[in-house]
Structures are given as structure tokens and as C-alpha cells.
Amino acid sequence: MKTAPLPAAFQDLQSFVSDWALPNEKVRYHKLMHTELADLRVFFDAMLPRAGAIIALLKPHDPDALQGELLTLYRLLTTFVETAHPIELNWKSTDIEFKSDPMRLQFHGPSAAY
Amino acid sequence: MSNAPELAPSITVFKGDRSKLKSKVNLLERIQPDYYQSEVDSIYRQSWLPVTSTKEIPEKGDFIVVDVPPLKASLIVVRGQDNQVRAFYNICRHRANKLELDERGNKRGFTCPFHAWSFNTEGKLTGVTDEPQFPGLNRQEHDLIPVHTEVWETFVFVNFAKAPKHSLAQWLGEMHGGYQGFFDDREQIAHWSIEVNANWHVTINAFTEGYHSLFLHRATLPDYQGGKDNPMRHRPYLEVMEHHGRYSAKANPDHHMTPVEKLAFDAGRPLYPAFPQIDTDVPGFPASVNPGRVNNWAFDITELFPCFVLINGANWHQCMWFWPIDENRTLIRVIDYAYKGQGLGDRLAHSYFRVRNREVFREDISTMEAIHASLKTGVMSHVVLSQQEMLLQKHYAVAAEMVEAGA
């Protein structure tokens, strides 16, 4: 299914949609594992000042019933929330320091659904 | 007069009989194949094992297929038309084919794909195709093979013994009446699994002490516990019971919320790693939630022997299974639950919680294969455990006792 563009008020974030408007935890995790910290920081820095306005717009809506441009916006916001920690915790990369092969982790149920 | 050694000073309030606990434990013997097989027979065939949640099968006819690797068993856990929850081996009684291939669903019965023998949700053999070709067949002798099943709170437990030595209530001991609906109003928000090349003891041991959190989790959880009054993050309360053990963790009152953590927890109701200010006695908290009634409580960790860990905060809980596959491999499954979301804000709070929690879990996994590989060299047989690692001492004491008692 084609991803709808963002609402007009958030056109400044449109360039992030193809990489970061992701549908579930599993996909967001895999994206994080394949992203350089510098690139994540660009997304984080663009989203942080806009997140309050996005939440205000989306809050009246049921997250499971969103469609079209609001669904795209919701996915961008959720990806931001689920990928912020390496920046906020001052990590040296997008992955944890003590790790085994990150691709071995399997995602099920809600972690593969939203 | 107790034989337990004197305790070193700490803030920890210890409860329970410590007389059989040992601070030195031989792990090398436990990773040997013969010893492992004795554990399967003496521990896994004798213990009550939680396998799923009643929330997975709320309606009559709902079923879920769960694997129990140490017993090499696939089970169908089903809510019958009589509303009772039962577990059966997932084996057709005709030629032993795997009966149900779907992971979950709702059915009035189960039909084997091989020759279409069918069974109802209470396990009765209800249909044999071309039955006249089985002269003398007695249907009653070919019902599904049941496993002892009991429900406690939202958890479905099974027991593989022919005649369990304990009822589930006896097995759970003082925890049995301790939660009183605490897990009811929750939804599943995360579910991960991973197979690791490490013995099951090594894997569960990573989650039942807080000593490591200051070090291994320094980058993921820099300040959620501890603080200036408790710099080494000692447990405020630690209890060993007949089979199980539990402790509570204290929140750091000076925890600094990051901007996105604050954003998520302002939008929805706060979850780990932010903890609501919990005072000594919260009205409505059942006895096993914050059992020591500690101030500034963060969460409890309970090991349900042998291979299940329950972590519960005020409005979330985490179920962790450490299923042995053999003496060298373990399947770890984690399911997170939180309060039922009421819109976008709660969904964001759930999202933030599950990701912080996932990264901490992945750090815990990182030590397991290294420990197991080190043990395999054979040069170091014993590990040494502090009194803050007393739940590990208890785990090994119960395991040893059951192996000595035999099947």
C-alpha cells in the first residue's frame, strides 16, 4: 500500500517519511540497527520540536483507526518515540554496547503488529 | 536456631529460611548432559509450569499451541465449550501426527490433517473417518492425552507428572492469594523471543539479581534505581520462599526523565523507567505487590521456580520464560503487559516503555553465551554469589533438592 503524504502543516517532515514512517516495532528495530548515529540524530533533531504539535493533532483519534495522512504522521511519531534512546542516552552508536547478534531477536504479537 | 550465616550490613530486609543456601555453586556439573537429563526428570516433570495466559484464550473454543522444550512437548491449551481451560498433547491419537498446525484460533474441535480424525475442545475423540475399517476400536481409549492444568490469576499452569506431588496452591505457597486480580486489566504490548547458546540456569540467573544493573545497564538505565542514598542499588526487600524467591527494587527519587521519555509519559500514563511515587502502603495493592511495603517502590522481581520470572511494577508486568532446549541451549520468551491503552497517549507510553525495556533485556542476554562458553572450558567450576544475589542461591538450593529427591 502506498504511504500517504503528511498533512500540509507537517510538510517540513515529508523528507523523513520514506525512511522513518514505519509500521511496527520489528521494522523500527531493524531500521535502527542499520542506521548510523549521525543519520538518526538528523531525524531526532527534526522531530523533537514538532512532536508536541503532532501529538496534539493525533490525540483525539483512535490510533488503531488512523488512515491516510494521519496514519503516516502517527507512524513517524511512533518511530521517533521508539528510536530516541540512543540519542537521549548519549550512546556511541544506535545499538547497545553489550550485545550479541541483534538480528537473532524475534518479534511476535504486538511487537510485529504496531 | 538457624544455620544461616550472619548477614553483612545493608538496607535489605531479608525474609525466609536461609539455612540451606550456599554462596558457592557448581555450575560446571550443571551443564553436563547427564545432569541436565536428571533435571528434566526431577524438576521439569515435577514442577508446575506456567505456559500461557488466560487472556490469550478468553472465549469458548479459543486455543493456543505452546511448546514446552524441556519435555519436547507441543501442547494445545484450549478453553472448552464448558469454559474450562485444559491442556492436551498436540498429538492425534490415530498415528501420532501433530494434530493442530495453527498457532492459535477458535474452533469447535480439532481435526487431524493426516486422516481427519477429530476431537472436541474437551479432548474427546468425536470422529473417526471410515470407522468400520477399525474393527473393535474403542473411542474412549483414544481421547487426547491431557496434562494436569490449573489456572492461577491470569496464568495457565501445567504439570507433566502422572500425579503431581503438590497442588498448584501448595506449589505457589504464600504467593497464591497474593495478587487478587492485579493482572486482570492489562493488555499485551510487546513479545520477543530468542534462542541463546547457554544453559538455562545461566539465562534465568541474569534476571534475578539487581547487583549488575549499575554496571551492565549503565548506558540504558543510568539512574532509574539507586541514587545518593542507595548507591550500590541494594534491594530493599528480599524473600526466599519454599520454592520461589522475590525481591523489590527501589526507584531513584532523582531520576532524570529525558525529553522523549517526558513527552511519552506526559501523553500517557507513566511506565518504567519512570516510577510513580509509591508510598509504603498503597490502598488496593494486594499483599504480593511490593510485599515488603518499601517506600519509593519501583518494581518486584519474582522467580517462579524453575524457569519463569515475573517482573511487576504498579501498572505493568513482564513474563519471562527460560525454557531449556538441552544443556547448552535455552529459548527465552518475553511478553510485556501494561494497563489497557485509552488512545494515542497511552500507546506512546507503551511504545517508549517496551523499547527501553527491550534494550535492557538485550544487554542481559549479552552475558549468557560468554558465561556458558567460559564454563565449557572446565577451568572454573564454581561461581560465588553475594547476599544481594540470594535469589540465585535459592534457585540452586531448590534445584539441588529436587534432583537429589529424584523423579
Side-chain angles (χ1 to χ4, degrees):
Chain A
M1 201 171 71
K2 200 172 177 298
T3 303
L6 290 173
F10 295 97
Q11 278 307 304
D12 54 309
L13 300 173
Q14 185 61 43
S15 63
F16 295 103
V17 165
S18 59
D19 276 347
W20 296 100
L22 303 173
N24 59 54
E25 184 197 350
K26 176 184 177 177
V27 178
R28 293 176 201 127
Y29 172 78
H30 287 170
K31 170 68 178 166
L32 194 61
M33 293 300 109
H34 292 100
T35 298
E36 294 298 324
L37 193 68
D39 295 329
L40 178 64
R41 192 180 301 280
V42 173
F43 175 58
F44 178 89
D45 288 344
M47 287 296 291
L48 185 62
R50 304 289 276 133
I54 298 174
I55 292 171
L57 179 67
L58 293 176
K59 211 159 184 182
H61 301 275
D62 174 357
D64 292 321
L66 291 170
Q67 291 184 340
E69 55 186 25
L70 291 186
L71 177 62
T72 305
L73 192 62
Y74 166 69
R75 288 179 168 176
L76 203 61
L77 175 68
T78 313
T79 306
F80 166 65
V81 168
E82 293 199 359
T83 59
H85 53 281
I87 303 293
E88 294 207 305
L89 298 169
N90 299 311
W91 290 4
K92 296 188 185 81
S93 85
T94 57
D95 200 0
I96 53 174
E97 189 179 349
F98 308 109
K99 63 192 176 197
S100 49
D101 177 3
M103 292 305 118
R104 287 165 57 189
L105 190 68
Q106 303 294 308
F107 293 77
H108 315 274
S111 295
Y114 62 83
Chain B
M1 181 82 181
S2 168
N3 297 321
E6 209 169 299
L7 290 163
S10 75
I11 66 159
T12 310
V13 173
F14 291 95
K15 187 178 172 193
D17 178 8
R18 296 180 288 112
S19 60
K20 289 179 184 163
L21 306 188
K22 292 176 180 163
S23 60
K24 274 184 83 176
V25 172
N26 188 331
L27 286 190
L28 183 58
E29 72 174 1
R30 288 179 163 85
I31 64 169
Q32 306 308 318
D34 289 351
Y35 194 93
Y36 170 72
Q37 192 52 50
S38 68
E39 290 184 329
V40 171
D41 297 335
S42 308
I43 296 173
Y44 282 93
R45 277 190 197 286
Q46 308 300 329
S47 302
W48 282 98
L49 305 167
V51 290
T52 189
S53 164
T54 53
K55 289 175 177 295
E56 303 284 347
I57 47 170
E59 306 294 334
K60 291 173 183 174
D62 283 352
F63 73 90
I64 183 168
V65 172
V66 294
D67 290 336
V68 182
L71 281 306
K72 306 195 188 320
S74 168
L75 300 180
I76 301 172
V77 182
V78 56
R79 185 179 292 275
Q81 298 306 321
D82 58 358
N83 211 28
Q84 191 178 329
V85 174
R86 298 177 177 84
F88 303 100
Y89 282 94
N90 187 10
I91 298 174
C92 177
R93 295 306 309 278
H94 170 218
R95 294 265 297 279
N97 187 38
K98 193 167 191 175
L99 175 61
E100 180 55 57
L101 302 180
D102 290 344
E103 285 180 16
R104 60 176 64 225
N106 181 287
K107 291 186 174 175
R108 292 198 69 82
F110 305 98
T111 301
C112 181
F114 200 0
H115 304 90
W117 279 36
S118 52
F119 304 84
N120 68 15
T121 52
E122 288 80 52
K124 297 289 176 205
L125 175 60
T126 50
V128 177
T129 51
D130 203 12
E131 192 165 4
Q133 291 296 303
F134 291 91
L137 178 79
N138 181 353
R139 281 195 185 189
Q140 281 76 36
E141 292 173 4
H142 302 278
D143 292 337
L144 294 181
I145 303 167
V147 180
H148 297 284
T149 308
E150 285 199 43
V151 171
W152 170 74
E153 297 294 338
T154 56
F155 300 92
V156 180
F157 283 75
V158 298
N159 190 308
F160 288 85
K162 282 198 172 67
K165 291 174 184 166
H166 305 88
S167 67
L168 178 60
Q170 290 168 333
W171 179 255
L172 292 172
E174 53 218 80
M175 281 189 302
H176 185 257
Y179 291 93
Q180 297 169 347
F182 182 72
F183 307 110
D184 288 353
D185 195 27
R186 301 280 170 84
E187 67 175 308
Q188 202 183 109
I189 63 160
H191 182 172
W192 317 296
S193 69
I194 187 168
E195 190 180 313
V196 296
N197 297 313
N199 179 270
W200 68 280
H201 292 293
V202 171
T203 64
I204 194 170
N205 288 172
F207 293 90
T208 56
E209 50 90 359
Y211 180 24
H212 70 279
S213 77
L214 189 59
F215 311 103
L216 186 67
H217 302 315
R218 63 179 182 247
T220 45
L221 296 168
D223 71 348
Y224 79 138
Q225 294 180 46
K228 58 184 184 302
D229 296 333
N230 187 20
M232 288 307 297
R233 300 184 180 179
H234 287 164
R235 309 296 93 184
Y237 179 81
L238 193 155
E239 180 181 358
V240 292
M241 295 170 274
E242 186 181 355
H243 302 103
H244 318 292
R246 61 187 175 189
Y247 66 70
S248 296
K250 248 173 140 52
N252 176 5
D254 302 318
H255 168 62
H256 167 73
M257 284 174 96
T258 63
V260 177
E261 182 181 347
K262 190 164 180 347
L263 198 79
F265 294 154
D266 281 350
R269 288 165 279 172
L271 291 158
Y272 159 117
F275 301 106
Q277 291 291 311
I278 302 291
D279 289 330
T280 313
D281 203 359
V282 177
F285 262 21
S288 283
V289 178
N290 186 9
R293 294 298 189 248
V294 298
N295 256 323
N296 214 16
W297 171 76
F299 57 83
D300 306 319
I301 290 191
T302 302
E303 176 177 319
L304 277 177
F305 188 85
C307 69
F308 183 78
V309 169
L310 169 68
I311 309 181
N312 65 276
N315 44 25
W316 56 271
H317 67 280
Q318 181 173 45
C319 298
M320 312 183 84
W321 285 266
F322 302 87
W323 288 121
I325 300 166
D326 58 33
E327 72 277 14
N328 298 314
R329 290 183 301 152
T330 303
L331 176 67
I332 305 175
R333 184 174 299 284
V334 181
I335 302 181
D336 282 354
Y337 295 86
Y339 55 72
K340 279 183 185 158
Q342 293 170 358
L344 177 96
D346 285 347
R347 180 63 66 80
L348 293 179
H350 287 174
S351 273
Y352 190 82
F353 162 73
R354 70 179 179 183
V355 166
R356 283 294 288 272
N357 190 235
R358 181 192 71 210
E359 302 301 60
V360 174
F361 167 66
R362 291 178 59 230
E363 285 178 332
D364 287 314
I365 288 172
S366 74
T367 63
M368 298 169 182
E369 292 183 347
I371 291 170
H372 189 81
S374 300
L375 291 170
K376 284 296 229 186
T377 66
V379 300
M380 178 171 155
S381 57
H382 290 71
V383 295
V384 60
L385 301 168
S386 85
Q387 63 187 32
Q388 292 296 322
E389 296 166 302
M390 197 178 285
L391 258 50
L392 279 69
Q393 298 183 26
K394 178 65 192 177
H395 171 90
Y396 287 110
V398 176
E401 204 169 296
M402 290 185 78
V403 167
E404 280 161 26

